Amino acid sequence: MADQTELLKVATAMLDRAYTPYSHFHVGAAVVGDSGKVYGGCNIENASYGATNCAERTAIFSGIAAGETHFKAILITGNTDGPIAPCGICRQVIAEFFDQDAPVYLTNQKGAFAETTVKGILPGAFVELK
């Protein structure tokens, strides 16, 4: 599996690809599929705001489009003061495609780092019983 350094490298590269003409708030994410392949994502804004897609979902959806159905880890980064955290919608999407004990790495571009799990970011998530 890809390590945190590789995930951070991919997520950081995604910051330059973010389309944020409204908020100017760039976010990058990287996920590892069960295959071991890493998928990057950036946030993509839209004038209607509701059509905006977060970096986390962009990375996950890119993996799904490539044939992945399950992921092992996610790392998120941005230019925040502390470790960045996913929004509620992204937390629910993460819960759908990751095990509850999968690692979630929250970082920033200043070197801050926090590690939690899917269950840690969304206790009581609405997930299908498998």
Side-chain angles (χ1 to χ4, degrees):
M1 182 169 91
D3 67 11
Q4 297 163 11
T5 303
E6 181 182 352
L7 293 176
L8 182 58
K9 182 178 177 181
V10 170
T12 297
M14 293 292 105
L15 292 172
D16 290 334
R17 295 186 181 176
Y19 177 74
T20 61
Y22 308 103
S23 73
H24 307 287
F25 183 72
H26 294 214
V27 180
V31 298
V32 182
D34 276 353
S35 70
K37 185 169 181 187
V38 175
Y39 301 90
C42 58
N43 52 326
I44 304 164
E45 295 180 346
N46 185 277
S48 71
Y49 288 101
T52 294
N53 203 55
C54 298
E56 300 91 313
R57 287 181 283 139
T58 301
I60 293 165
F61 296 163
S62 293
I64 292 168
E68 301 280 357
T69 58
H70 187 262
F71 299 89
K72 296 180 179 183
I74 183 168
L75 183 141
I76 309 154
T77 194
N79 291 306
T80 51
D81 289 334
I84 198 166
C87 74
I89 293 171
C90 287
R91 291 171 194 235
Q92 184 59 55
V93 171
I94 292 166
E96 180 84 14
F97 295 103
F98 292 73
D99 291 338
Q100 291 292 293
D101 61 349
V104 177
Y105 306 116
L106 309 174
T107 70
N108 70 8
Q109 292 295 290
K110 298 176 184 176
F113 179 88
E115 181 176 347
T116 186
T117 62
V118 173
K119 186 175 184 175
I121 63 167
L122 189 60
F126 181 78
V127 293
E128 180 180 337
L129 297 176
K130 297 178 183 175

Coordinates of all heavy atoms in Angstrom, one line a residue, residues 8-46:
L8 N 0.7 12.2 0.3 CA 0.9 13.6 0.5 C 1.4 14.2 -0.8 O 0.9 15.3 -1.2 CB 1.8 14.0 1.7 CG 2.0 15.5 1.9 CD1 0.6 16.2 2.2 CD2 2.9 15.7 3.1
K9 N 2.3 13.6 -1.5 CA 2.9 14.1 -2.7 C 1.8 14.2 -3.8 O 1.6 15.2 -4.5 CB 4.0 13.2 -3.2 CG 4.6 13.6 -4.5 CD 5.8 12.7 -4.9 CE 6.4 13.1 -6.2 NZ 7.4 12.2 -6.6
V10 N 0.9 13.2 -3.9 CA -0.2 13.2 -4.9 C -1.2 14.3 -4.5 O -1.6 15.1 -5.3 CB -0.9 11.8 -5.0 CG1 -2.1 11.9 -5.8 CG2 0.1 10.8 -5.6
A11 N -1.6 14.3 -3.2 CA -2.6 15.3 -2.8 C -2.1 16.7 -3.0 O -2.8 17.6 -3.4 CB -3.0 15.1 -1.3
T12 N -0.8 17.0 -2.7 CA -0.2 18.3 -2.8 C -0.2 18.7 -4.3 O -0.5 19.9 -4.6 CB 1.2 18.3 -2.2 OG1 1.1 18.1 -0.8 CG2 1.9 19.7 -2.5
A13 N 0.1 17.8 -5.2 CA 0.1 18.1 -6.6 C -1.3 18.5 -7.1 O -1.5 19.3 -8.0 CB 0.6 16.9 -7.4
M14 N -2.3 17.9 -6.4 CA -3.7 18.2 -6.8 C -4.1 19.7 -6.5 O -5.0 20.2 -7.1 CB -4.7 17.3 -6.1 CG -4.6 15.8 -6.6 SD -5.2 15.6 -8.3 CE -3.6 15.4 -9.1
L15 N -3.4 20.3 -5.5 CA -3.7 21.7 -5.1 C -3.6 22.6 -6.3 O -4.5 23.5 -6.4 CB -2.8 22.1 -4.0 CG -3.0 21.5 -2.6 CD1 -1.9 21.9 -1.7 CD2 -4.3 21.8 -2.0
D16 N -2.7 22.4 -7.2 CA -2.5 23.2 -8.3 C -3.6 23.0 -9.4 O -3.7 23.8 -10.3 CB -1.1 23.0 -9.0 CG 0.0 23.6 -8.1 OD1 -0.3 24.5 -7.3 OD2 1.1 23.1 -8.2
R17 N -4.3 21.9 -9.3 CA -5.3 21.6 -10.3 C -6.7 22.0 -9.8 O -7.7 22.0 -10.6 CB -5.3 20.1 -10.6 CG -4.0 19.7 -11.3 CD -4.1 18.3 -11.7 NE -2.8 17.9 -12.3 CZ -2.5 16.7 -12.7 NH1 -3.4 15.7 -12.6 NH2 -1.4 16.4 -13.3
A18 N -6.8 22.5 -8.6 CA -8.1 22.9 -8.0 C -8.7 24.0 -8.9 O -8.0 24.9 -9.3 CB -8.0 23.3 -6.6
Y19 N -10.0 24.0 -9.1 CA -10.7 25.1 -9.8 C -11.6 25.8 -8.7 O -12.6 25.3 -8.3 CB -11.6 24.5 -10.9 CG -12.4 25.5 -11.6 CD1 -11.8 26.4 -12.5 CD2 -13.8 25.6 -11.4 CE1 -12.5 27.3 -13.2 CE2 -14.5 26.6 -12.1 CZ -13.9 27.4 -13.0 OH -14.6 28.4 -13.6
T20 N -11.0 26.9 -8.3 CA -11.7 27.6 -7.1 C -11.8 29.1 -7.4 O -11.3 29.9 -6.6 CB -10.9 27.3 -5.8 OG1 -9.6 27.9 -6.0 CG2 -10.8 25.9 -5.5
P21 N -12.5 29.5 -8.5 CA -12.6 30.9 -8.7 C -13.5 31.7 -7.7 O -13.4 32.9 -7.7 CB -13.2 31.0 -10.1 CG -14.0 29.7 -10.2 CD -13.2 28.7 -9.4
Y22 N -14.2 31.0 -6.9 CA -15.1 31.7 -6.0 C -14.5 31.8 -4.6 O -14.5 32.8 -3.9 CB -16.5 31.1 -6.0 CG -17.0 30.9 -7.4 CD1 -17.0 29.7 -8.1 CD2 -17.5 32.1 -8.1 CE1 -17.4 29.6 -9.4 CE2 -17.9 32.0 -9.4 CZ -17.8 30.7 -10.0 OH -18.2 30.6 -11.4
S23 N -14.1 30.7 -4.0 CA -13.6 30.6 -2.7 C -12.0 30.8 -2.6 O -11.5 31.2 -1.6 CB -13.9 29.3 -2.0 OG -13.1 28.3 -2.5
H24 N -11.3 30.5 -3.7 CA -9.9 30.5 -3.7 C -9.3 29.6 -2.7 O -8.2 29.8 -2.2 CB -9.3 31.9 -3.6 CG -9.9 32.9 -4.6 ND1 -9.6 32.8 -6.0 CD2 -10.9 33.8 -4.5 CE1 -10.3 33.8 -6.6 NE2 -11.1 34.4 -5.7
F25 N -10.0 28.6 -2.3 CA -9.6 27.6 -1.2 C -9.3 26.3 -1.9 O -10.2 25.5 -2.2 CB -10.7 27.5 -0.2 CG -10.4 26.6 1.0 CD1 -9.5 27.0 1.9 CD2 -11.0 25.4 1.1 CE1 -9.2 26.2 3.0 CE2 -10.7 24.6 2.2 CZ -9.8 25.0 3.2
H26 N -8.0 26.0 -2.1 CA -7.6 24.8 -2.8 C -7.5 23.7 -1.8 O -6.9 23.8 -0.7 CB -6.3 25.0 -3.5 CG -6.3 26.0 -4.6 ND1 -5.5 25.9 -5.7 CD2 -7.0 27.1 -4.8 CE1 -5.8 26.9 -6.5 NE2 -6.7 27.7 -6.0
V27 N -8.0 22.5 -2.2 CA -7.9 21.3 -1.4 C -7.5 20.2 -2.3 O -7.9 20.1 -3.5 CB -9.3 20.9 -0.8 CG1 -9.2 19.6 0.0 CG2 -9.8 22.0 0.1
G28 N -6.6 19.3 -1.8 CA -6.1 18.2 -2.6 C -6.3 16.9 -1.7 O -6.3 17.0 -0.5
A29 N -6.6 15.8 -2.4 CA -6.8 14.5 -1.7 C -6.2 13.4 -2.5 O -6.0 13.5 -3.7 CB -8.3 14.3 -1.5
A30 N -5.9 12.3 -1.8 CA -5.4 11.1 -2.5 C -6.0 9.9 -1.8 O -6.0 9.9 -0.5 CB -3.8 11.1 -2.5
V31 N -6.4 8.9 -2.5 CA -6.9 7.7 -2.0 C -6.2 6.5 -2.5 O -5.6 6.6 -3.6 CB -8.5 7.6 -2.2 CG1 -9.2 8.7 -1.6 CG2 -8.8 7.5 -3.7
V32 N -6.2 5.4 -1.8 CA -5.5 4.2 -2.2 C -6.6 3.1 -2.4 O -7.4 2.8 -1.5 CB -4.5 3.6 -1.2 CG1 -3.9 2.4 -1.7 CG2 -3.5 4.7 -0.8
G33 N -6.8 2.6 -3.6 CA -7.7 1.6 -3.9 C -7.2 0.2 -3.4 O -6.0 0.1 -3.1
D34 N -8.1 -0.7 -3.4 CA -7.7 -2.1 -3.0 C -6.6 -2.6 -3.9 O -5.8 -3.5 -3.5 CB -8.9 -3.0 -3.0 CG -9.7 -3.0 -1.7 OD1 -9.3 -2.3 -0.8 OD2 -10.8 -3.6 -1.7
S35 N -6.6 -2.1 -5.2 CA -5.6 -2.6 -6.1 C -4.2 -2.1 -5.8 O -3.2 -2.5 -6.3 CB -5.9 -2.1 -7.5 OG -5.8 -0.7 -7.6
G36 N -4.1 -1.1 -4.9 CA -2.9 -0.4 -4.5 C -2.6 0.9 -5.3 O -1.7 1.6 -5.0
K37 N -3.4 1.1 -6.3 CA -3.3 2.3 -7.1 C -3.7 3.5 -6.3 O -4.7 3.5 -5.6 CB -4.0 2.2 -8.4 CG -3.8 3.4 -9.4 CD -4.3 3.1 -10.7 CE -4.0 4.4 -11.6 NZ -4.6 4.4 -12.9
V38 N -3.0 4.7 -6.5 CA -3.4 5.9 -5.9 C -4.1 6.8 -6.8 O -3.7 7.0 -8.0 CB -2.1 6.6 -5.3 CG1 -2.4 8.0 -4.8 CG2 -1.4 5.7 -4.3
Y39 N -5.2 7.4 -6.4 CA -6.0 8.4 -7.2 C -6.0 9.7 -6.5 O -6.3 9.8 -5.3 CB -7.4 7.8 -7.3 CG -7.5 6.5 -8.0 CD1 -7.4 5.3 -7.2 CD2 -7.5 6.3 -9.3 CE1 -7.5 4.1 -7.8 CE2 -7.6 5.1 -9.9 CZ -7.5 3.9 -9.1 OH -7.6 2.7 -9.7
G40 N -5.7 10.7 -7.3 CA -5.8 12.1 -6.7 C -7.0 12.8 -7.1 O -7.7 12.5 -8.0
G41 N -7.3 13.8 -6.3 CA -8.5 14.6 -6.6 C -8.3 16.1 -6.0 O -7.6 16.3 -5.1
C42 N -9.0 17.0 -6.7 CA -9.0 18.4 -6.2 C -10.4 18.9 -6.2 O -11.3 18.3 -6.7 CB -8.2 19.2 -7.2 SG -8.8 19.2 -8.9
N43 N -10.6 20.0 -5.5 CA -12.0 20.5 -5.4 C -12.2 21.3 -6.7 O -11.3 21.9 -7.3 CB -12.2 21.4 -4.2 CG -11.2 22.5 -3.9 OD1 -10.0 22.3 -4.2 ND2 -11.6 23.6 -3.3
I44 N -13.5 21.2 -7.1 CA -13.9 21.9 -8.4 C -15.2 22.6 -8.1 O -16.2 22.0 -7.8 CB -14.1 20.8 -9.5 CG1 -12.9 19.9 -9.7 CG2 -14.6 21.4 -10.8 CD1 -13.1 18.6 -10.5
E45 N -15.1 23.9 -8.2 CA -16.2 24.8 -7.8 C -17.1 25.1 -9.0 O -16.7 24.8 -10.2 CB -15.8 26.1 -7.2 CG -15.1 25.9 -5.9 CD -14.6 27.2 -5.3 OE1 -14.6 28.3 -6.0 OE2 -14.2 27.2 -4.1
N46 N -18.3 25.5 -8.7 CA -19.3 25.9 -9.8 C -20.1 27.1 -9.3 O -20.3 27.2 -8.1 CB -20.2 24.7 -10.0 CG -21.2 25.0 -11.2 OD1 -22.2 25.6 -11.0 ND2 -20.8 24.5 -12.3

